[in-house]
């Protein structure tokens, strides 16, 4: 367990072979770099825990699921190295989710944007609320969703990610996300979602742990190069964020 309002919060509870990891931040459950680092370490630890079989990933509250990366930290980037480190945050989380030996089930209760869409895409199975609309807003601030693109493209395909990313001011609703494959199931009521996710996760946790681990490796076949690819993409994005175009775009949002 770790908590600090400015640095965000991260809680883990374990019940009947199911670990529930809950992250939170007062700014729409967005991620500061430190919180991303803590999530990576937590996922790596749970991956090696022989007493659990399934991980539920959720965020706190009943509002946004994830507001992406911290806007405050984004506008504070001063040089290429800082930019690469900043954008490597979600790269490291996606890679930790990809390599995690446990099946990760996402609980998406509300809007998710930018890196949050990448987080949802890196889950192995997702339960979403009807309120869980999605948006890739990166182009509006002069960058592109380069780091999360491989995870999102793997889930929804090139046509859908083109649709989502090239209309960066447009929210796509939860049923669109389900139709494209980002969400597995969508629920009108949160109580129904929570009841179903608990039943599903407990049932999943009763299966042979080694069979689940082996099958997850098959589901993620062809992604071994992501350790290098996502960090390279972080470097490219770090260069973009230092451009005059992006600085002007960010200054408008800052105001």
């Amino acid at each position: 367990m770790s908590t600090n309002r400015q640095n965000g919060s991260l809680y883990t509870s374990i019940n009947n072979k199911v670990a529930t990891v809950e992250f939170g931040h007062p700014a729409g459950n967005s991620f500061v770099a430190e919180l991303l680092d803590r999530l990576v370490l937590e996922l790596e630890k749970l991956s090696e825990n022989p007493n659990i079989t399934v991980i539920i990933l959720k965020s706190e509250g009943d509002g946004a699921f994830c507001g992406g990366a911290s806007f405050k930290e984004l506008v504070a980037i001063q040089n290429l190295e800082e930019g690469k480190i900043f954008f490597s945050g979600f790269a490291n989380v996606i890679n930790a989710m990809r390599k995690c030996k446990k099946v990760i089930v996402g609980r998406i209760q509300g809007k998710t944007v930018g890196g949050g869409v990448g987080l949802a895409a890196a889950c192995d199975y997702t339960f979403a609320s009807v309120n869980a609309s999605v948006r890739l807003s990166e182009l509006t601030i002069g960058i592109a969703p380069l780091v999360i693109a491989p995870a999102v493209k793997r889930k929804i395909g090139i046509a859908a990610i083109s649709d989502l990313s090239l209309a960066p001011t447009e929210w796509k609703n939860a049923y669109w996300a389900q139709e494209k494959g980002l969400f597995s199931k969508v629920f009108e009521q949160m109580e129904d979602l929570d009841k179903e996710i608990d039943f599903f996760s407990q049932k999943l946790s009763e299966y042979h742990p080694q069979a689940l681990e082996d099958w997850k490796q098959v589901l993620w076949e062809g992604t071994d190069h992501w350790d290098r690819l996502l960090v390279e993409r972080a470097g490219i994005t770090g260069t973009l964020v230092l451009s005059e175009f992006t600085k002007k775009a960010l200054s408008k949002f800052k105001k």
Side-chain angles (χ1 to χ4, degrees):
M1 184 184 79
S2 179
T3 182
N4 178 305
R5 282 193 65 79
Q6 292 307 310
N7 293 331
S9 60
L10 191 68
Y11 299 93
T12 298
S13 60
I14 297 175
N15 182 39
N16 294 336
K17 298 183 181 178
V18 178
T20 299
V21 178
E22 179 177 319
F23 65 88
H25 193 279
N29 288 330
S30 57
F31 275 93
V32 293
E34 183 184 323
L35 184 57
L36 287 166
D37 291 343
R38 295 209 304 263
L39 180 56
V40 169
L41 291 174
E42 188 64 20
L43 290 170
E44 289 175 345
K45 184 173 75 172
L46 292 172
S47 179
E48 300 302 326
N49 187 335
N51 298 316
I52 68 162
T53 313
V54 179
I55 298 170
I56 296 174
L57 183 64
K58 62 184 289 190
S59 62
E60 66 179 18
D62 54 8
F65 168 69
C66 179
S70 166
F71 187 77
K72 185 177 180 181
E73 289 189 353
L74 175 63
V75 298
I77 294 171
Q78 296 293 318
N79 55 61
L80 183 57
E81 186 60 26
E82 287 180 3
K84 185 174 182 179
I85 291 171
F86 176 81
F87 291 107
S88 291
F90 270 99
N92 294 335
V93 168
I94 289 171
N95 277 322
M97 293 174 72
R98 173 178 66 85
K99 292 186 284 186
C100 183
K101 296 175 183 177
K102 318 300 180 182
V103 173
I104 300 176
V105 179
R107 177 188 181 272
I108 322 294
Q109 84 277 15
K111 288 184 174 181
T112 187
V113 63
V117 178
L119 208 63
C123 290
D124 300 300
Y125 202 96
T126 45
F127 290 79
S129 160
V130 69
N131 299 315
S133 49
V134 297
R135 183 161 72 105
L136 290 180
S137 58
E138 284 85 347
L139 287 174
T140 65
I141 56 172
I143 59 174
L146 296 169
V147 173
I148 64 167
V152 181
K153 180 183 172 184
R154 169 182 170 269
K155 266 293 173 71
I156 69 176
I158 193 66
I161 195 175
S162 296
D163 191 3
L164 191 59
S165 60
L166 294 177
T169 63
E170 189 178 304
W171 290 97
K172 303 291 189 184
N173 67 36
Y175 290 112
W176 180 92
Q178 182 185 27
E179 180 190 333
K180 303 303 180 185
L182 183 64
F183 298 155
S184 307
K185 293 184 178 180
V186 174
F187 295 83
E188 298 283 337
Q189 303 295 329
M190 281 306 300
E191 61 184 271
D192 293 332
L193 186 157
D194 284 330
K195 184 178 178 181
E196 185 66 21
I197 200 172
D198 286 344
F199 176 80
F200 177 87
S201 300
Q202 288 299 330
K203 194 70 179 172
L204 200 60
S205 73
E206 295 170 5
Y207 300 146
H208 191 335
Q210 190 60 52
L212 286 171
E213 182 182 335
D214 291 344
W215 182 238
K216 176 163 177 173
Q217 287 185 343
V218 171
L219 293 177
W220 285 90
E221 270 180 352
T223 63
D224 290 345
H225 64 296
W226 283 18
D227 281 323
R228 173 182 48 79
L229 175 66
L230 301 193
V231 174
E232 285 177 356
R233 295 279 184 89
I236 296 170
T237 315
T239 302
L240 285 172
V241 82
L242 294 172
S243 68
E244 282 303 314
F245 187 101
T246 303
K247 285 179 180 177
K248 286 180 182 178
L250 286 172
S251 67
K252 291 177 185 175
F253 277 89
K254 198 174 179 181
K255 291 173 184 175

